Each structure stands twice: as structure tokens, then as C-alpha cells.
Amino acid sequence: MSNDAPRKVLWWLCFLVAPSVLIAIELFHPAGFTQNPGMYDYLHKPEPYNPQYSALGYFGPQWWFTLHMIQTPMVGLVAVGLWLLADKVDSSEGLAATTFAWLSRVATFVFLIYYTALDAIGGIGLGKSLEITGQLYREGKLTPEQVVGVAQVLNRTWTNEWVGGVGSFISLTGSWAVFASALFVAVALFLTKKAPWPALILLVAFGWELQVSHTMPHGPIAFALLIISAFWLWWGGRRQGS
């Protein structure tokens, strides 16, 4: 690890601060509501803890908006962290390792783009749409029938095959990209013998869990694995440097 202080600060921002924040907020990120009772019916109002939806609780549309406003830059920092890992592989360390490091960078770029798009559409934008719909209804500017129409539009957007919040092109592309990024950089670091293999297995496990879902419980598990892996990598780097 470089002795450059800003780089060290960035490392811990990406691999400790951001994942810790993400663990905390994903505990309150529900899942499994798309079909029953439906996205709008679940998200438009606060909900108490229900094991069917995994999250410890849901505080309503304002929370959905706030959660994703926090989540988006934190995920961005995680992407920067994955890029930092790829930078540990020098171009002089062989074609195979260099190729895997660049494949990881490409996957990290795709992950950052599509996860940001997912959060913007299904998180930040949706949260405000839910909030505004409720406000207009309370002000008498939308009738119950009109709210039903708005709900249908939002539900259809949520399940759209291109931009939907689950199982869409955007969602699946971002999810598989983060797994590819973690897998490729782990292979690159393994080939260069720059990291202990248990830490690399944890890194791949992080990518797999986040590929499954960033919601509760997979998200908190994924980011906890990332913290442990990063600490192990840092400790291994210190031992190699001593």
C-alpha cells in the first residue's frame, strides 16, 4: 500500500466508511414486495417490521428517497475502492494479471453507471413520485381514482423489463457487473500474489451477495464481507511491506 496519505484516506472511505453506512441503511431497505402487495401499496406508506419483507422497518416514501440519496454516493465510493484494488496490479506483472485487472476496471465502470441509473429511477425518482402523489391526494388535487392511475403507472415502471427496480436490464447489468469486477480483480491479485487468498475469497463472496441483491439481508452481508476482505488485504499488505 502506498504511503501517500490522501490515498490511505480514500482507501478507508471506500472500504470502511461507505460500506458501514450502507450496512446501516440497508437494514431498513425492504424487499419482496413487488408481487404482494405490490410496489405502490407497500412503499407509499410506513410499514412496521414484517419478516416477509426482510427490513427491520420501513418509514415511508421520504425514507425511500433519503435512503437512495445516501446509497448512491456510497456505492460510488465502493466502485472507487474496486478501482483502487485493480491499481495494485502493475502492467509489468504479466499479461494475464494485467488483463484481469483491466476487465475489473471495465466491470467497475459498468457497475457504477447502471447502479447509479437504478438508484435514480427506482430510488430517488420513485421516492419523490410517491411523496408527491400522496401530497396531491391530501390537498384534494388528485381523486382516489386518479391515485389508482398514478399507482398503475409507477407499478408498471417498477416492473419494466428495461428500467424496473427488479429483474430489469438496468438492475441485472449493474448486479452482474459488480460480481464480475470483484471476481476479476481477485483473480488479478491472486496471480500477482499480492493478497492472501482468504481475503480474495471474501471479496468474491461480497460481489456474489451484492449481485443477488443490495436489499436486506444480502446487502448488509455483502458490505460486511467487503469490510473484512479490505481489512485483510490492508493487513496483508502491511506484513509484506515490513
Side-chain angles (χ1 to χ4, degrees):
M1 181 79 69
S2 169
N3 290 324
D4 181 60
R7 192 176 181 86
K8 287 184 176 180
V9 171
L10 185 59
W11 173 275
W12 291 114
L13 279 175
C14 295
F15 288 122
L16 178 60
V17 176
S20 297
V21 172
L22 286 164
I23 289 171
I25 63 174
E26 304 304 349
L27 292 172
F28 300 92
H29 192 315
F33 50 77
T34 300
Q35 300 302 325
N36 182 28
M39 182 281 295
Y40 186 88
D41 284 345
Y42 185 88
L43 291 183
H44 84 282
K45 62 187 188 304
E47 294 283 352
Y49 169 72
N50 183 334
Q52 180 179 348
Y53 306 112
S54 301
L56 299 183
Y58 173 66
F59 311 123
Q62 288 184 335
W63 167 242
W64 190 259
F65 169 78
T66 302
L67 184 159
H68 290 91
M69 285 289 287
I70 298 170
Q71 179 175 280
T72 303
M74 294 300 104
V75 167
L77 282 172
V78 169
V80 172
L82 292 170
W83 196 283
L84 288 176
L85 287 180
D87 279 350
K88 291 170 67 69
V89 179
D90 191 83
S91 59
S92 64
E93 294 179 292
L95 178 62
T98 303
T99 299
F100 276 109
W102 273 108
L103 286 172
S104 177
R105 290 184 181 98
V106 171
T108 298
F109 176 76
V110 174
F111 161 60
L112 178 60
I113 293 298
Y114 282 94
Y115 241 71
T116 301
L118 179 65
D119 276 353
I121 298 168
I124 297 168
L126 177 63
K128 273 300 169 187
S129 295
L130 293 168
E131 190 179 337
I132 291 168
T133 301
Q135 181 181 2
L136 291 174
Y137 174 70
R138 290 188 296 272
E139 292 173 354
K141 295 177 181 178
L142 285 179
T143 66
E145 292 77 15
Q146 288 173 324
V147 171
V148 170
V150 172
Q152 290 179 341
V153 172
L154 295 179
N155 280 333
R156 187 66 63 89
T157 303
W158 177 259
T159 57
N160 181 265
E161 63 182 1
W162 285 100
V163 301
V166 290
S168 68
F169 175 82
I170 285 179
S171 173
L172 293 176
T173 300
S175 296
W176 282 109
V178 71
F179 174 64
S181 174
L183 176 63
F184 291 151
V185 77
V187 172
L189 292 172
F190 178 78
L191 291 174
T192 59
K193 297 181 172 57
K194 285 191 170 182
W197 64 264
L200 299 179
I201 290 177
L202 291 175
L203 181 62
V204 175
F206 147 76
W208 177 259
E209 281 292 310
L210 195 55
Q211 177 276 134
V212 173
S213 178
H214 65 275
T215 65
M216 176 72 174
H218 297 284
I221 293 171
F223 294 118
L225 289 170
L226 181 62
I227 291 172
I228 298 169
S229 174
F231 183 82
W232 206 325
L233 290 168
W234 170 78
W235 184 253
R238 285 197 60 183
R239 292 187 63 182
Q240 285 183 353
S242 63

